[in-house]
Amino acid sequence: MFSTEEAGIAACATAGRTGHPHRLRRLAGAGFIAALAAAVTTLAAALVRAAGVDFAVTGGETIPLGGFRG
């Protein structure tokens, strides 16, 4: 059996866990915003490429659309 002191310690140990879901939600929100920004950047590059602009580096190699991730 637990004494009242042990029960109090257990209650205090679990009381501070309320912040974890909030942190995870903030992290997921930031990840979603980053993914959305990367998608918009890639879409913009695809539209510019469709308009006839070539993206190339100094050696003449073309940058693929996957290289335009925000």
Side-chain angles (χ1 to χ4, degrees):
M1 292 296 287
F2 292 108
S3 69
T4 54
E5 185 177 321
E6 290 172 342
I9 292 171
C12 288
T14 59
R17 293 188 183 175
T18 59
H20 293 291
H22 182 64
R23 287 182 191 169
L24 183 60
R25 201 172 299 147
R26 278 189 11 204
L27 180 63
F32 177 75
I33 291 170
L36 187 63
V40 169
T41 303
T42 304
L43 179 63
L47 291 173
V48 171
R49 181 172 283 173
V53 177
D54 285 332
F55 298 105
V57 292
T58 305
E61 192 173 330
T62 304
I63 301 171
L65 283 179
F68 291 98
R69 294 188 189 143

